[in-house]
Amino acid sequence: MTSAGFNVTSSLTLVGFSSLSGHSSLLFFVFLLLYLFVLFSDSLVIYIICSQRALHRPMFAFVASLLLNSLTASTLIYPKLLSDLLLSGAGLVQVSRTLCLCQGFFVSTLGGASFMLLSAMAFDRYLSICHPMHYAVLVTPAKVVLMLLFCWMLPVILGVVSMLQASRLPLCRVQLNRAFCDIFSIVSLSCGGAEAQLSGIYNLLFTAVIIFLPATFMIFSYARILFICLRRSRSFSSKALQTCLPHLLVFFNYTISVYLDLMLRRLQSNRESDTTLITSIVILIIPTVLDPVVYGLKLKEVFTHVKRLLSCRRDSCLKPPDSGTMLCYEELRKEPEHMNPSDCRVKLMRKHYNKSHC
């Protein structure tokens, strides 16, 4: 329906995959594999952090929160993407404006929460390396919980305002050349005017507060850490930089993806291009896929438990007890008063773990 020269329709059209309509089956298979990998890898690292008491530390709490954030974003985007590919054959996808706004809200808030969590990790590493004597007092479990709540609640509050502003804008176009919805793209479909300008200014402030300020803080924190490491011993510097490396890799991963997306939006303005489709896919795939890989391989404490869990062979786990084990139980049965029951357990634990069994 059209009124006063602008479109007030309640539905939008995603045309991102229309140029790839002949490869819908291949795209569906690729995105399905990626989604399954994200589900498995994120869940594995989160499970290891939650189940291992030795990993119940602030740094790993932030890592688990970031992976949970990534897992939530993937669950909100990948299934919808797969259903669009399956039902529409990579053609035009009709989506209600309300659903598009909701998806854009979650994309914006979860993306902003990722940068906030990364800045919290940088702050944690800064205090741990630059102020180790005060770290236990400054970073308590209660303060970690408050920091996590702040990292999630601030993007949510700002995202609600952005979504409400976008929902009031009259639209002159209804086609989005992207794989999924986001608030910036919805605003770009508006007819202009004072409300559109106000929404654009607010979105710039939203980006500055949620992305650029945390990124600036992270750069300052890691620069300060590097300066401290240059003044300390080589062993101290090596250990400190080793713990910071995964966070830096993830930070550059997010920053480069967002920077490419924002720059291409700015350069292309209102023109539709296949490049916008590529950047929308890149900003989805790269962070969600690489995050668990980086934290699973680069964090030594996590990688040790991942390797131990994945290297457990079924034949060794189900292997019947050998003669030494049977002798231990026989001693316990014959002379229980002279043998501590924990002796057998300790002996068995040493026997299995020293051989890298389960």
Side-chain angles (χ1 to χ4, degrees):
M1 185 175 69
T2 305
S3 177
F6 55 81
N7 196 324
V8 293
T9 183
S10 60
S11 64
L12 299 174
T13 304
L14 296 175
V15 297
F17 288 119
S18 59
S19 60
L20 303 174
S21 57
H23 306 85
S24 59
S25 300
L26 177 62
L27 290 173
F28 178 84
F29 182 71
V30 170
F31 281 113
L32 178 61
L33 289 180
L34 289 174
Y35 181 50
L36 293 177
F37 173 79
V38 170
L39 283 179
F40 172 76
S41 56
D42 280 344
S43 301
L44 177 63
V45 178
I46 293 173
Y47 166 76
I48 288 175
I49 292 176
C50 293
S51 62
Q52 299 298 324
R53 188 175 296 273
L55 301 182
H56 292 178
R57 288 182 279 167
M59 183 183 73
F60 296 103
F62 291 125
V63 170
S65 300
L66 180 66
L67 294 179
L68 179 62
N69 194 72
S70 175
L71 183 61
T72 304
S74 300
T75 304
L76 292 171
I77 296 178
Y78 276 104
K80 178 64 169 60
L81 202 61
L82 292 172
S83 66
D84 291 342
L85 288 171
L86 187 64
L87 298 178
S88 67
L92 301 178
V93 178
Q94 294 289 332
V95 59
S96 68
R97 185 175 180 180
T98 301
L99 181 60
C100 198
L101 284 168
C102 290
Q103 189 179 50
F105 163 76
F106 284 112
V107 169
S108 301
T109 53
L110 291 174
S114 298
F115 275 90
M116 297 292 291
L117 289 169
L118 286 171
S119 65
M121 292 183 195
F123 181 64
D124 173 75
R125 292 298 84 204
Y126 170 76
L127 293 179
S128 175
I129 296 172
C130 301
H131 302 281
M133 301 300 295
H134 303 84
Y135 178 77
V137 177
L138 295 174
V139 187
T140 61
K143 292 180 181 178
V144 171
V145 173
L146 290 177
M147 291 174 66
L148 291 175
L149 290 176
F150 178 76
C151 290
W152 275 313
M153 292 307 299
L154 181 61
V156 167
I157 294 172
L158 297 178
V160 167
V161 177
S162 180
M163 181 183 65
L164 292 177
Q165 287 183 332
S167 65
R168 299 174 55 186
L169 296 176
L171 304 181
C172 287
R173 294 175 296 147
V174 295
Q175 290 189 343
L176 287 172
N177 192 31
R178 295 181 71 82
F180 53 88
C181 298
D182 63 88
I183 298 297
F184 292 96
S185 298
I186 297 174
V187 173
S188 68
L189 300 179
S190 65
C191 302
E195 288 189 358
Q197 292 179 354
L198 179 62
S199 180
I201 293 173
Y202 179 82
N203 287 329
L204 288 177
L205 293 176
F206 176 87
T207 304
V209 172
I210 300 299
I211 296 179
F212 291 117
L213 286 181
T216 304
F217 178 77
M218 281 184 275
I219 293 174
F220 168 78
S221 299
Y222 289 122
R224 183 64 179 171
I225 290 173
L226 179 61
F227 177 74
I228 293 295
C229 290
L230 293 176
R231 301 172 56 185
R232 300 291 184 88
S233 63
R234 179 173 296 182
S235 60
F236 175 86
S237 301
S238 176
K239 184 177 180 181
L241 294 177
Q242 186 178 6
T243 60
C244 294
L245 180 60
H247 308 309
L248 284 171
L249 292 176
V250 173
F251 165 64
F252 287 123
N253 174 22
Y254 275 93
T255 303
I256 293 173
S257 300
V258 172
Y259 177 77
L260 289 176
D261 186 56
L262 294 177
M263 287 299 297
L264 288 173
R265 287 175 187 270
R266 182 67 177 175
L267 293 175
Q268 294 170 358
S269 185
N270 293 326
R271 294 178 298 167
E272 298 293 341
S273 171
D274 290 338
T275 312
T276 58
L277 169 63
I278 296 174
T279 55
S280 67
I281 295 176
V282 166
I283 202 173
L284 167 66
I285 292 178
I286 293 181
T288 56
V289 172
L290 290 187
D291 285 1
V293 174
V294 171
Y295 285 120
L297 297 179
K298 288 297 182 180
L299 282 180
K300 183 178 179 181
E301 299 89 342
V302 176
F303 178 70
T304 301
H305 292 287
V306 171
K307 185 178 179 181
R308 179 180 300 171
L309 185 63
L310 297 181
S311 64
C312 178
R313 299 186 298 273
R314 178 174 294 273
D315 56 346
S316 63
C317 292
L318 300 179
K319 184 179 179 180
D322 55 16
S323 58
T325 304
M326 294 301 296
L327 180 60
C328 179
Y329 284 119
E330 188 67 21
E331 290 182 38
L332 180 61
R333 185 180 65 83
K334 290 182 178 180
E335 299 179 345
E337 66 278 4
H338 300 297
M339 188 175 181
N340 189 344
S342 63
D343 291 344
C344 280
R345 289 194 293 269
V346 172
K347 185 182 295 185
L348 291 174
M349 288 174 63
R350 288 176 178 173
K351 183 180 184 63
H352 285 287
Y353 282 104
N354 286 340
K355 292 182 179 181
S356 300
H357 287 176
C358 298

